[in-house]
Amino acid sequence: MNSKLGLLEPLESLSMTDRVENILREYFTENAFKPGDALPNELEIAQKLNVSRNVVREALSRLRMLGMIEARPRRGMIMSQPDLLAGIEKVLNPFILSQSNQKDIFELRLILEMGIAEFLFARKTQKDLDELELIVEKQKSLPVLSKEDEIEFHGKLYDMTGNETFQRFQSLLFPVFEHVFASMTNQKDNYVLVDPVSHADLFRILRDGTPEAFRKAMHKHLEVYYNTIKK
Amino acid sequence: MNSKLGLLEPLESLSMTDRVENILREYFTENAFKPGDALPNELEIAQKLNVSRNVVREALSRLRMLGMIEARPRRGMIMSQPDLLAGIEKVLNPFILSQSNQKDIFELRLILEMGIAEFLFARKTQKDLDELELIVEKQKSLPVLSKEDEIEFHGKLYDMTGNETFQRFQSLLFPVFEHVFASMTNQKDNYVLVDPVSHADLFRILRDGTPEAFRKAMHKHLEVYYNTIKK
DNA sequence: TCTTTACATTTGTCCTACAAATATAATAGT
DNA sequence: ACTATTATATTTGTAGGACAAATGTAAAGA
């Protein structure tokens, strides 16, 4: 009879908390709430929406977790600058992430790694290059590079992009990347294949070359990973 | 006296709800909870942690929002596959996002757009190319491309990567990208500059060329945006 | 006018209660 | 002994009351 409803049904099964959460976010958007603006107090919201204070608090608790609002005990609540990645951070658990999501994250790193060339060349400073050289020199003496060495070099590259979100995003994704690759290759950790393009090579190109050449080299450096994306 | 505590202080100011949320997530990770596994009931958790059921419910409400757990009324709670991007989605409100975050997102799109070349070439199918050609042909007859035309072409590219998360991620980021660019250029919408490299050019390269050539062309296509990243 | 005091406000936390639907146990019927 | 029905227990969702504690505000006093 109501088979026509189809996609509508999930909406009806929303709990009060879900609905209040949605209503609040819409309310903020439509009224152009900005960081620092004061919110109505919990009781007021509850009475206006005709729900219990419990429900309102459960919804507010979610927004607080995202950094969207801030509650100053006994002084009321205010809007705040949300933490863009707080939600993702809490969910990055290989045990519960779907295989599909894990694969997507694995690939996302490759995409990002190839896309940063322009930013590196546009924003590199002598100080950055000096620090990177130090890392490269240190690694030259090692017989094989550990996972940590990889992180140190690539992490420095993300720093150099000057994009804070990107930097943090990448550091969140890396453990998942590692986990996926490890489970694909079944290899014990701390063993990294010999690269046709070394960190030292990448460093030299970043110092003296072009974005174009850097991307080419980075692709070669990550070739072992790129070989996994053939459909 | 306790000035040495420094970074420790924020920890102490955590609410019970914050702490229970952390404890629960750690509990899930350490016990390797997988989707489908049953959780202890609310009262049990509350008693074990010596807090009220309210506090537990506020913490659980957060995890439910992230899709981490699922509550089946009157049957208990189970682990579930979290929605990787649910947290970000709710927070993408230009009014409250920091300028810095908005700029980061703007740049992130450029990074992604440049990084997908390998995936496009590795995974393109004849069907994809046909559909893309249709879009390009349609746009050829237009004097100027609207925002929607841009989304249609680039959106199809994201589809072709075969990476669902990436696809969705991109569609979430796009409005912010548009917002940032509009506020930078102060231009009214629906006006897109004439590109040195057209969508038709990109299509031809994707069909007959190499990832290398595609990246080069895409960079030229997005040059007007890339000009903003010079520090 | 300034200081002190009393009061009101508001979040954080705890408690109790109950509806409703499911799972489980108990009972009745054949 | 087995099935069908009924009763009971479980558990989330929601409501509502209570109070501590700290802050802001108003009132009172010097």
Side-chain angles (χ1 to χ4, degrees), chain A residues 21 29 33 57-58 61-62 65 81 84 88 90 93 96 98 101 104 107 111 115 118 122-123 163 165 212 215 219 229 231, chain B residues 21 29 33 57-58 61-62 65 81 84 88 90 93 96 98 101 104 107 111 115 118 122-123 163 165 212 215 219 229 231:
Chain A
E21 184 215 317
T29 306
F33 268 67
R57 276 190 64 83
E58 285 184 21
S61 176
R62 298 173 175 187
M65 177 189 62
Q81 313 242 79
L84 192 59
I88 278 198
K90 295 172 192 254
N93 173 341
I96 57 175
S98 72
N101 267 336
D104 289 351
E107 295 179 356
I111 291 174
E118 299 302 323
R123 294 180 177 165
N163 186 320
T165 300
E212 194 75 10
R215 274 197 298 267
H219 185 264
I229 74 172
K231 60 169 170 300
Chain B
E21 184 215 316
T29 306
F33 268 68
R57 275 190 64 83
E58 284 184 22
S61 176
R62 298 172 174 187
M65 177 187 62
Q81 313 241 80
L84 193 57
I88 278 198
K90 294 171 192 255
N93 173 342
I96 57 174
S98 72
N101 267 336
D104 289 351
E107 296 180 354
I111 291 174
E118 300 301 323
R123 294 180 176 164
N163 186 321
T165 301
E212 193 75 9
R215 273 196 298 267
H219 184 264
I229 74 172
K231 58 166 171 303

Short mmCIF file of all heavy atoms in Angstrom, two decimals, chain A residues 21 29 33 57-58 61-62 65 81 84 88 90 93 96 98 101 104 107 111 115 118 122-123 163 165 212 215 219 229 231, chain B residues 21 29 33 57-58 61-62 65 81 84 88 90 93 96 98 101 104 107 111 115 118 122-123 163 165 212 215 219 229 231:
data_model
loop_
_atom_site.label_atom_id
_atom_site.label_comp_id
_atom_site.label_asym_id
_atom_site.label_seq_id
_atom_site.Cartn_x
_atom_site.Cartn_y
_atom_site.Cartn_z
N GLU A 21 18.52 17.54 15.83
CA GLU A 21 19.86 17.86 15.29
C GLU A 21 19.72 18.56 13.94
O GLU A 21 20.34 19.60 13.70
CB GLU A 21 20.68 16.57 15.15
CG GLU A 21 22.11 16.82 14.68
CD GLU A 21 22.62 15.72 13.76
OE1 GLU A 21 22.38 14.54 14.05
OE2 GLU A 21 23.24 16.05 12.74
N THR A 29 22.01 27.72 9.93
CA THR A 29 22.33 28.15 8.56
C THR A 29 21.39 29.26 8.11
O THR A 29 21.84 30.29 7.60
CB THR A 29 22.19 26.95 7.60
OG1 THR A 29 23.00 25.88 8.09
CG2 THR A 29 22.65 27.33 6.21
N PHE A 33 24.02 32.12 11.62
CA PHE A 33 24.77 32.15 12.87
C PHE A 33 26.27 32.14 12.59
O PHE A 33 26.74 31.34 11.78
CB PHE A 33 24.39 30.94 13.73
CG PHE A 33 23.27 31.22 14.68
CD1 PHE A 33 21.99 31.46 14.20
CD2 PHE A 33 23.48 31.24 16.05
CE1 PHE A 33 20.95 31.71 15.07
CE2 PHE A 33 22.44 31.50 16.93
CZ PHE A 33 21.17 31.73 16.44
N ARG A 57 19.55 17.85 24.55
CA ARG A 57 20.94 17.70 24.96
C ARG A 57 21.66 16.65 24.13
O ARG A 57 22.85 16.79 23.83
CB ARG A 57 21.02 17.35 26.45
CG ARG A 57 20.97 18.57 27.35
CD ARG A 57 21.31 18.21 28.78
NE ARG A 57 22.66 17.72 28.94
CZ ARG A 57 23.73 18.51 29.07
NH1 ARG A 57 23.59 19.81 29.06
NH2 ARG A 57 24.93 17.99 29.22
N GLU A 58 20.97 15.59 23.76
CA GLU A 58 21.62 14.57 22.92
C GLU A 58 21.98 15.14 21.55
O GLU A 58 23.03 14.84 20.99
CB GLU A 58 20.70 13.35 22.78
CG GLU A 58 20.67 12.51 24.04
CD GLU A 58 19.83 11.24 23.87
OE1 GLU A 58 19.61 10.80 22.74
OE2 GLU A 58 19.40 10.68 24.90
N SER A 61 24.84 17.56 22.05
CA SER A 61 26.06 16.81 22.32
C SER A 61 26.79 16.46 21.02
O SER A 61 28.01 16.50 20.93
CB SER A 61 25.72 15.53 23.09
OG SER A 61 26.88 14.75 23.27
N ARG A 62 26.01 16.13 20.00
CA ARG A 62 26.61 15.83 18.69
C ARG A 62 27.29 17.05 18.11
O ARG A 62 28.42 16.96 17.63
CB ARG A 62 25.51 15.35 17.73
CG ARG A 62 24.83 14.09 18.17
CD ARG A 62 23.66 13.78 17.25
NE ARG A 62 23.05 12.50 17.58
CZ ARG A 62 22.11 11.93 16.86
NH1 ARG A 62 21.66 12.52 15.77
NH2 ARG A 62 21.61 10.76 17.21
N MET A 65 30.46 17.79 19.75
CA MET A 65 31.55 16.91 19.34
C MET A 65 32.20 17.41 18.05
O MET A 65 33.40 17.33 17.87
CB MET A 65 31.05 15.49 19.13
CG MET A 65 32.15 14.57 18.64
SD MET A 65 31.54 12.96 18.16
CE MET A 65 30.44 13.38 16.83
N GLN A 81 33.90 27.70 15.86
CA GLN A 81 34.43 27.23 14.58
C GLN A 81 34.58 25.72 14.63
O GLN A 81 35.40 25.22 15.38
CB GLN A 81 35.78 27.86 14.31
CG GLN A 81 35.83 29.34 14.56
CD GLN A 81 36.16 30.12 13.30
OE1 GLN A 81 35.30 30.34 12.47
NE2 GLN A 81 37.40 30.54 13.19
N LEU A 84 36.99 20.76 11.22
CA LEU A 84 36.61 20.14 9.95
C LEU A 84 36.80 18.62 9.94
O LEU A 84 36.00 17.88 9.37
CB LEU A 84 37.45 20.77 8.82
CG LEU A 84 37.04 20.50 7.39
CD1 LEU A 84 35.63 20.96 7.13
CD2 LEU A 84 38.01 21.16 6.43
N ILE A 88 35.76 12.73 10.98
CA ILE A 88 36.48 11.65 10.29
C ILE A 88 37.44 10.97 11.24
O ILE A 88 37.56 9.75 11.27
CB ILE A 88 37.25 12.22 9.07
CG1 ILE A 88 36.30 12.36 7.88
CG2 ILE A 88 38.42 11.33 8.71
CD1 ILE A 88 37.00 12.49 6.56
N LYS A 90 37.44 10.31 14.31
CA LYS A 90 36.92 9.36 15.28
C LYS A 90 36.48 8.05 14.65
O LYS A 90 36.22 7.07 15.34
CB LYS A 90 35.74 9.99 16.02
CG LYS A 90 36.22 11.16 16.85
CD LYS A 90 35.08 11.95 17.45
CE LYS A 90 35.60 13.26 18.01
NZ LYS A 90 35.68 13.29 19.47
N ASN A 93 38.82 3.60 12.09
CA ASN A 93 39.17 2.38 12.80
C ASN A 93 39.08 1.22 11.81
O ASN A 93 37.99 0.86 11.36
CB ASN A 93 38.18 2.21 13.96
CG ASN A 93 38.34 0.88 14.67
OD1 ASN A 93 38.91 -0.06 14.13
ND2 ASN A 93 37.82 0.80 15.87
N ILE A 96 36.29 -1.43 11.79
CA ILE A 96 34.89 -1.18 11.46
C ILE A 96 34.70 -0.48 10.12
O ILE A 96 33.62 -0.50 9.57
CB ILE A 96 34.19 -0.36 12.56
CG1 ILE A 96 34.92 0.95 12.80
CG2 ILE A 96 34.15 -1.15 13.86
CD1 ILE A 96 34.21 1.85 13.79
N SER A 98 34.50 -0.03 6.29
CA SER A 98 34.21 -1.00 5.24
C SER A 98 35.45 -1.18 4.36
O SER A 98 36.27 -0.29 4.22
CB SER A 98 33.03 -0.54 4.40
OG SER A 98 33.41 0.55 3.60
N ASN A 101 35.59 1.53 1.85
CA ASN A 101 36.10 2.80 2.35
C ASN A 101 37.61 2.76 2.52
O ASN A 101 38.30 3.74 2.26
CB ASN A 101 35.45 3.13 3.70
CG ASN A 101 34.21 3.99 3.52
OD1 ASN A 101 34.07 4.68 2.53
ND2 ASN A 101 33.32 3.94 4.49
N ASP A 104 39.21 3.13 -0.76
CA ASP A 104 39.06 4.51 -1.21
C ASP A 104 40.11 5.41 -0.56
O ASP A 104 40.69 6.29 -1.21
CB ASP A 104 37.66 5.03 -0.87
CG ASP A 104 36.59 4.39 -1.74
OD1 ASP A 104 36.96 3.70 -2.70
OD2 ASP A 104 35.40 4.59 -1.46
N GLU A 107 43.52 4.89 -2.03
CA GLU A 107 43.67 5.57 -3.32
C GLU A 107 43.74 7.08 -3.15
O GLU A 107 44.44 7.77 -3.90
CB GLU A 107 42.49 5.21 -4.22
CG GLU A 107 42.47 3.74 -4.58
CD GLU A 107 41.28 3.39 -5.47
OE1 GLU A 107 40.45 4.28 -5.74
OE2 GLU A 107 41.21 2.23 -5.89
N ILE A 111 46.21 9.97 -4.87
CA ILE A 111 45.71 11.15 -5.57
C ILE A 111 46.32 12.42 -4.98
O ILE A 111 46.80 13.29 -5.70
CB ILE A 111 44.17 11.20 -5.49
CG1 ILE A 111 43.57 10.05 -6.32
CG2 ILE A 111 43.65 12.54 -5.97
CD1 ILE A 111 42.06 9.92 -6.20
N GLY A 115 48.97 15.32 -6.45
CA GLY A 115 48.39 16.64 -6.72
C GLY A 115 49.08 17.80 -6.06
O GLY A 115 48.77 18.96 -6.34
N GLU A 118 52.26 21.37 -7.55
CA GLU A 118 52.13 22.81 -7.78
C GLU A 118 52.34 23.60 -6.50
O GLU A 118 52.99 24.65 -6.49
CB GLU A 118 50.75 23.15 -8.33
CG GLU A 118 50.41 22.50 -9.65
CD GLU A 118 51.40 22.87 -10.75
OE1 GLU A 118 51.85 24.03 -10.76
OE2 GLU A 118 51.73 21.98 -11.56
N ALA A 122 55.18 26.32 -5.51
CA ALA A 122 54.72 27.70 -5.31
C ALA A 122 55.10 28.21 -3.92
O ALA A 122 55.22 29.41 -3.72
CB ALA A 122 53.20 27.77 -5.49
N ARG A 123 55.32 27.30 -2.99
CA ARG A 123 55.48 27.74 -1.61
C ARG A 123 56.76 27.31 -0.91
O ARG A 123 56.94 27.60 0.27
CB ARG A 123 54.28 27.23 -0.78
CG ARG A 123 53.00 27.89 -1.23
CD ARG A 123 51.82 27.41 -0.46
NE ARG A 123 50.63 28.14 -0.88
CZ ARG A 123 49.39 27.78 -0.60
NH1 ARG A 123 49.18 26.69 0.11
NH2 ARG A 123 48.37 28.49 -1.03
N ASN A 163 49.24 23.99 3.72
CA ASN A 163 47.81 23.75 3.89
C ASN A 163 47.60 22.87 5.11
O ASN A 163 47.82 21.66 5.09
CB ASN A 163 47.24 23.09 2.64
CG ASN A 163 45.73 22.94 2.68
OD1 ASN A 163 45.17 22.62 3.72
ND2 ASN A 163 45.08 23.18 1.56
N THR A 165 44.93 21.90 6.83
CA THR A 165 43.92 20.85 6.77
C THR A 165 44.44 19.64 6.01
O THR A 165 44.29 18.49 6.44
CB THR A 165 42.65 21.36 6.08
OG1 THR A 165 42.14 22.47 6.80
CG2 THR A 165 41.59 20.28 6.02
N GLU A 212 56.14 19.64 -13.08
CA GLU A 212 55.98 18.56 -14.06
C GLU A 212 56.94 17.40 -13.79
O GLU A 212 56.54 16.24 -13.67
CB GLU A 212 56.24 19.15 -15.45
CG GLU A 212 55.82 18.31 -16.61
CD GLU A 212 54.33 18.33 -16.80
OE1 GLU A 212 53.64 19.15 -16.15
OE2 GLU A 212 53.84 17.49 -17.58
N ARG A 215 56.19 15.60 -10.44
CA ARG A 215 55.07 14.64 -10.50
C ARG A 215 55.50 13.35 -11.16
O ARG A 215 55.15 12.25 -10.70
CB ARG A 215 53.90 15.26 -11.29
CG ARG A 215 52.98 16.10 -10.45
CD ARG A 215 51.66 16.34 -11.15
NE ARG A 215 51.87 17.07 -12.39
CZ ARG A 215 51.80 18.38 -12.49
NH1 ARG A 215 51.52 19.12 -11.43
NH2 ARG A 215 51.99 18.98 -13.64
N HIS A 219 55.51 9.82 -9.22
CA HIS A 219 54.76 8.68 -9.75
C HIS A 219 55.63 7.44 -9.78
O HIS A 219 55.19 6.35 -9.42
CB HIS A 219 54.22 8.99 -11.15
CG HIS A 219 53.36 7.91 -11.69
ND1 HIS A 219 53.83 6.92 -12.53
CD2 HIS A 219 52.05 7.63 -11.49
CE1 HIS A 219 52.83 6.10 -12.83
NE2 HIS A 219 51.75 6.51 -12.21
N ILE A 229 46.08 -0.11 -8.71
CA ILE A 229 44.82 0.54 -9.07
C ILE A 229 44.27 0.07 -10.41
O ILE A 229 43.18 0.48 -10.80
CB ILE A 229 44.95 2.08 -9.10
CG1 ILE A 229 45.73 2.53 -10.33
CG2 ILE A 229 45.59 2.58 -7.84
CD1 ILE A 229 45.71 4.04 -10.50
N LYS A 231 42.13 -1.68 -12.74
CA LYS A 231 40.83 -2.30 -12.43
C LYS A 231 40.79 -3.76 -12.88
O LYS A 231 41.44 -4.15 -13.77
CB LYS A 231 39.72 -1.50 -13.11
CG LYS A 231 39.86 -1.44 -14.61
CD LYS A 231 38.63 -0.90 -15.27
CE LYS A 231 38.91 -0.63 -16.73
NZ LYS A 231 39.98 0.32 -16.94
N GLU B 21 32.65 9.06 25.77
CA GLU B 21 32.80 8.86 24.32
C GLU B 21 34.17 8.29 24.00
O GLU B 21 34.29 7.31 23.24
CB GLU B 21 32.62 10.21 23.60
CG GLU B 21 32.66 10.10 22.08
CD GLU B 21 33.30 11.31 21.43
OE1 GLU B 21 33.00 12.42 21.84
OE2 GLU B 21 34.13 11.11 20.53
N THR B 29 37.91 -0.34 19.90
CA THR B 29 39.16 -0.62 19.18
C THR B 29 39.93 -1.75 19.85
O THR B 29 40.36 -2.70 19.19
CB THR B 29 40.04 0.64 19.15
OG1 THR B 29 39.28 1.72 18.61
CG2 THR B 29 41.27 0.41 18.28
N PHE B 33 36.02 -4.72 18.05
CA PHE B 33 34.60 -4.82 17.69
C PHE B 33 34.44 -4.68 16.18
O PHE B 33 35.01 -3.78 15.56
CB PHE B 33 33.81 -3.71 18.39
CG PHE B 33 33.25 -4.14 19.72
CD1 PHE B 33 34.09 -4.40 20.78
CD2 PHE B 33 31.89 -4.28 19.89
CE1 PHE B 33 33.58 -4.80 22.00
CE2 PHE B 33 31.37 -4.67 21.12
CZ PHE B 33 32.21 -4.93 22.17
N ARG B 57 24.06 8.04 27.21
CA ARG B 57 23.25 8.25 26.01
C ARG B 57 23.76 9.43 25.17
O ARG B 57 23.72 9.38 23.94
CB ARG B 57 21.78 8.48 26.39
CG ARG B 57 21.02 7.19 26.58
CD ARG B 57 19.54 7.44 26.72
NE ARG B 57 18.95 8.01 25.52
CZ ARG B 57 18.57 7.30 24.47
NH1 ARG B 57 18.72 6.00 24.46
NH2 ARG B 57 18.06 7.90 23.42
N GLU B 58 24.25 10.46 25.83
CA GLU B 58 24.80 11.59 25.07
C GLU B 58 26.03 11.15 24.28
O GLU B 58 26.23 11.56 23.14
CB GLU B 58 25.12 12.75 26.00
CG GLU B 58 23.87 13.49 26.46
CD GLU B 58 24.19 14.72 27.32
OE1 GLU B 58 25.32 15.23 27.23
OE2 GLU B 58 23.30 15.16 28.07
N SER B 61 24.89 8.91 21.48
CA SER B 61 24.23 9.70 20.44
C SER B 61 25.24 10.21 19.42
O SER B 61 24.96 10.26 18.22
CB SER B 61 23.51 10.88 21.10
OG SER B 61 22.94 11.72 20.14
N ARG B 62 26.41 10.57 19.91
CA ARG B 62 27.46 11.03 19.00
C ARG B 62 27.90 9.92 18.07
O ARG B 62 28.03 10.12 16.85
CB ARG B 62 28.67 11.52 19.80
CG ARG B 62 28.36 12.69 20.70
CD ARG B 62 29.54 13.00 21.60
NE ARG B 62 29.32 14.21 22.38
CZ ARG B 62 30.26 14.78 23.12
NH1 ARG B 62 31.46 14.24 23.20
NH2 ARG B 62 29.98 15.88 23.79
N MET B 65 25.47 9.23 15.42
CA MET B 65 25.49 10.21 14.34
C MET B 65 26.57 9.88 13.32
O MET B 65 26.38 10.05 12.12
CB MET B 65 25.74 11.61 14.89
CG MET B 65 25.85 12.65 13.80
SD MET B 65 26.35 14.26 14.42
CE MET B 65 27.95 13.90 15.08
N GLN B 81 28.85 -0.05 10.19
CA GLN B 81 29.90 0.56 9.37
C GLN B 81 29.71 2.06 9.35
O GLN B 81 28.72 2.55 8.82
CB GLN B 81 29.82 0.05 7.94
CG GLN B 81 29.68 -1.45 7.84
CD GLN B 81 30.83 -2.09 7.09
OE1 GLN B 81 31.90 -2.28 7.68
NE2 GLN B 81 30.63 -2.40 5.84
N LEU B 84 31.98 7.46 6.54
CA LEU B 84 33.27 8.16 6.61
C LEU B 84 33.12 9.68 6.56
O LEU B 84 33.84 10.40 7.23
CB LEU B 84 34.15 7.69 5.44
CG LEU B 84 35.63 8.05 5.47
CD1 LEU B 84 36.28 7.53 6.72
CD2 LEU B 84 36.32 7.52 4.23
N ILE B 88 32.03 15.37 8.35
CA ILE B 88 32.41 16.54 7.57
C ILE B 88 31.19 17.21 6.97
O ILE B 88 31.05 18.42 6.97
CB ILE B 88 33.41 16.14 6.45
CG1 ILE B 88 34.82 16.05 7.02
CG2 ILE B 88 33.36 17.13 5.31
CD1 ILE B 88 35.89 16.09 5.98
N LYS B 90 28.21 17.60 7.87
CA LYS B 90 27.37 18.43 8.72
C LYS B 90 28.00 19.75 9.07
O LYS B 90 27.34 20.65 9.59
CB LYS B 90 27.03 17.66 10.00
CG LYS B 90 26.17 16.45 9.69
CD LYS B 90 25.98 15.55 10.89
CE LYS B 90 25.38 14.23 10.45
NZ LYS B 90 23.96 14.11 10.79
N ASN B 93 29.51 24.56 6.51
CA ASN B 93 28.65 25.73 6.49
C ASN B 93 29.55 26.97 6.40
O ASN B 93 30.25 27.29 7.36
CB ASN B 93 27.81 25.74 7.77
CG ASN B 93 27.00 27.00 7.92
OD1 ASN B 93 27.28 28.03 7.28
ND2 ASN B 93 26.00 26.94 8.77
N ILE B 96 30.16 29.42 9.29
CA ILE B 96 30.89 29.12 10.53
C ILE B 96 32.27 28.52 10.28
O ILE B 96 33.10 28.51 11.17
CB ILE B 96 30.08 28.15 11.43
CG1 ILE B 96 29.74 26.86 10.69
CG2 ILE B 96 28.81 28.81 11.89
CD1 ILE B 96 29.08 25.84 11.58
N SER B 98 36.03 28.40 9.41
CA SER B 98 37.04 29.44 9.48
C SER B 98 37.54 29.77 8.07
O SER B 98 37.50 28.93 7.18
CB SER B 98 38.21 28.97 10.34
OG SER B 98 38.95 27.97 9.67
N ASN B 101 40.09 27.32 7.02
CA ASN B 101 39.55 26.04 6.56
C ASN B 101 38.97 26.16 5.16
O ASN B 101 39.12 25.26 4.34
CB ASN B 101 38.46 25.55 7.51
CG ASN B 101 39.01 24.64 8.59
OD1 ASN B 101 40.05 24.03 8.41
ND2 ASN B 101 38.31 24.55 9.70
N ASP B 104 41.71 26.17 2.74
CA ASP B 104 42.27 24.82 2.64
C ASP B 104 41.43 23.95 1.73
O ASP B 104 41.95 23.17 0.92
CB ASP B 104 42.36 24.18 4.03
CG ASP B 104 43.45 24.82 4.88
OD1 ASP B 104 44.23 25.63 4.33
OD2 ASP B 104 43.51 24.52 6.08
N GLU B 107 41.89 24.82 -1.90
CA GLU B 107 43.14 24.25 -2.43
C GLU B 107 43.04 22.75 -2.59
O GLU B 107 43.62 22.17 -3.52
CB GLU B 107 44.30 24.62 -1.51
CG GLU B 107 44.55 26.11 -1.44
CD GLU B 107 45.70 26.47 -0.52
OE1 GLU B 107 46.24 25.56 0.15
OE2 GLU B 107 46.04 27.65 -0.47
N ILE B 111 44.24 20.19 -5.66
CA ILE B 111 45.12 19.05 -5.47
C ILE B 111 44.47 17.78 -6.00
O ILE B 111 45.10 16.99 -6.72
CB ILE B 111 45.47 18.89 -3.96
CG1 ILE B 111 46.35 20.05 -3.50
CG2 ILE B 111 46.13 17.56 -3.69
CD1 ILE B 111 46.62 20.08 -2.01
N GLY B 115 45.40 15.22 -9.18
CA GLY B 115 45.90 13.89 -8.81
C GLY B 115 45.15 12.72 -9.41
O GLY B 115 45.59 11.57 -9.29
N GLU B 118 45.98 9.50 -13.16
CA GLU B 118 46.33 8.08 -13.23
C GLU B 118 45.09 7.19 -13.17
O GLU B 118 44.97 6.19 -13.87
CB GLU B 118 47.25 7.70 -12.07
CG GLU B 118 48.57 8.45 -12.01
CD GLU B 118 49.39 8.24 -13.26
OE1 GLU B 118 49.38 7.12 -13.82
OE2 GLU B 118 50.03 9.23 -13.70
N ALA B 122 43.58 4.60 -15.89
CA ALA B 122 43.59 3.19 -15.50
C ALA B 122 42.20 2.58 -15.56
O ALA B 122 42.04 1.38 -15.72
CB ALA B 122 44.17 3.03 -14.10
N ARG B 123 41.18 3.41 -15.45
CA ARG B 123 39.83 2.87 -15.27
C ARG B 123 38.80 3.34 -16.29
O ARG B 123 37.63 2.97 -16.20
CB ARG B 123 39.33 3.24 -13.86
CG ARG B 123 40.15 2.54 -12.79
CD ARG B 123 39.67 2.87 -11.41
NE ARG B 123 40.44 2.10 -10.44
CZ ARG B 123 40.49 2.36 -9.15
NH1 ARG B 123 39.80 3.38 -8.68
NH2 ARG B 123 41.20 1.61 -8.33
N ASN B 163 36.11 5.72 -7.54
CA ASN B 163 36.31 5.84 -6.09
C ASN B 163 35.13 6.60 -5.49
O ASN B 163 35.01 7.82 -5.62
CB ASN B 163 37.62 6.58 -5.81
CG ASN B 163 37.97 6.62 -4.34
OD1 ASN B 163 37.10 6.79 -3.50
ND2 ASN B 163 39.23 6.43 -4.03
N THR B 165 34.13 7.25 -2.38
CA THR B 165 34.38 8.23 -1.33
C THR B 165 34.90 9.53 -1.93
O THR B 165 34.44 10.62 -1.58
CB THR B 165 35.43 7.69 -0.34
OG1 THR B 165 34.94 6.49 0.23
CG2 THR B 165 35.70 8.71 0.75
N GLU B 212 50.16 11.96 -18.18
CA GLU B 212 51.07 13.11 -18.18
C GLU B 212 50.48 14.31 -18.94
O GLU B 212 50.42 15.43 -18.42
CB GLU B 212 52.38 12.65 -18.87
CG GLU B 212 53.54 13.56 -18.69
CD GLU B 212 54.12 13.47 -17.30
OE1 GLU B 212 53.71 12.56 -16.53
OE2 GLU B 212 54.95 14.33 -16.97
N ARG B 215 47.34 15.75 -17.19
CA ARG B 215 47.63 16.63 -16.05
C ARG B 215 48.04 18.01 -16.51
O ARG B 215 47.61 19.03 -15.95
CB ARG B 215 48.73 16.02 -15.18
CG ARG B 215 48.23 15.05 -14.14
CD ARG B 215 49.29 14.80 -13.08
NE ARG B 215 50.47 14.20 -13.67
CZ ARG B 215 50.68 12.88 -13.73
NH1 ARG B 215 49.79 12.06 -13.24
NH2 ARG B 215 51.76 12.41 -14.28
N HIS B 219 45.95 21.35 -15.72
CA HIS B 219 46.58 22.48 -15.03
C HIS B 219 46.30 23.78 -15.76
O HIS B 219 45.99 24.80 -15.15
CB HIS B 219 48.08 22.25 -14.89
CG HIS B 219 48.77 23.32 -14.11
ND1 HIS B 219 49.39 24.40 -14.70
CD2 HIS B 219 48.90 23.50 -12.77
CE1 HIS B 219 49.89 25.19 -13.77
NE2 HIS B 219 49.61 24.68 -12.59
N ILE B 229 47.29 30.55 -5.64
CA ILE B 229 48.02 29.84 -4.58
C ILE B 229 49.41 30.37 -4.34
O ILE B 229 50.10 29.94 -3.43
CB ILE B 229 48.13 28.32 -4.86
CG1 ILE B 229 49.14 28.03 -5.96
CG2 ILE B 229 46.77 27.74 -5.18
CD1 ILE B 229 49.41 26.55 -6.13
N LYS B 231 52.07 32.19 -2.72
CA LYS B 231 52.06 32.68 -1.33
C LYS B 231 52.38 34.17 -1.28
O LYS B 231 53.05 34.71 -2.08
CB LYS B 231 53.08 31.89 -0.51
CG LYS B 231 54.49 31.96 -1.06
CD LYS B 231 55.52 31.47 -0.09
CE LYS B 231 56.86 31.36 -0.79
NZ LYS B 231 56.86 30.52 -1.96
#
